[in-house]
Amino acid sequence: MGDARLLEEAHAVEQFDTPELHALIKDMRDTMEDLDGAGLAAPQIGVGLQLVIFGVEENPRYPDAEPVPQTVLINPKLLKVDDVMEDGWEGCLSVPGMRGLVPRFVRLQYSGFDEYGKPIERTAEGFHARVVQHECDHLIGVLYPMRIRDMRQFGFTEELFPGEDPGDD
Ligand code: NI
């Protein structure tokens, strides 16, 4: 947070299944796994492209989270299903050591492409929907603290959740 590249709008990916794209995705996967993240967006490693990866199987940082399929999502579009929102705690690998309570839509539809250009179209809810909204926000230059409604619900992980393994973020 503070790096100007995180505040820019990312550009659409125009060519799929290229060695450069596969190398970028591998780099992002390695970064996400090293840091136990639930997702990562290309701008977080300094690449201004509309590309996010996410997925949660068993993650020590999200012990209660329902699984989210491992996904590469390129040029995503999010579609609102209804107006229902809920608050949930979020962290971000670009905002290390902190958590904030962030309102997100509970349900949404999203679409885009995988790294081979194959269309993806899904509906999601709960934690899955939250992760998609968080990651896609990175593509429009929005970090989760900008979505917090009550700034009293923002702080250091070790203060908010004493005893919890804060991981690397
Ligand atoms: Ni993030």
Side-chain angles (χ1 to χ4, degrees), residues 6 39-41 44 90-95 104 131 134-138 142-145 169:
L6 289 171
L40 192 74
Q44 293 185 272
E90 295 186 15
C92 178
L93 301 176
S94 298
V95 190
R104 299 285 185 188
V131 168
H134 176 116
E135 296 311 328
C136 291
D137 261 359
H138 280 295
V142 173
L143 298 169
Y144 82 82
D169 86 326

Side-chain angles (χ1 to χ4, degrees), residues 32 36-40 53-56 59 61-62 93 127 131 135:
M32 186 174 111
D36 277 333
L40 192 74
I53 63 172
F54 53 85
V56 179
N59 188 321
R61 282 188 50 216
Y62 302 97
L93 301 176
F127 185 66
V131 168
E135 296 311 328

Side-chain angles (χ1 to χ4, degrees), residues 2 8 13 32 37 47 52 63 78 80 82 86 100 117 122-123 130 136 138 142-143 148 161:
E8 288 171 4
V13 172
M32 186 174 111
V47 178
V52 302
L78 273 50
K80 207 166 78 164
D82 56 40
E86 72 183 355
R122 291 183 188 153
T123 56
R130 175 171 298 277
C136 291
H138 280 295
V142 173
L143 298 169
I148 296 172
F161 304 101

Side-chain angles (χ1 to χ4, degrees), residues 69 79 81 107-111 120-125 128-129:
L79 199 66
V81 173
R107 278 170 287 277
L108 60 89
Q109 285 181 20
Y110 66 92
S111 61
I120 294 172
E121 193 163 345
R122 291 183 188 153
T123 56
E125 62 175 80
H128 183 175

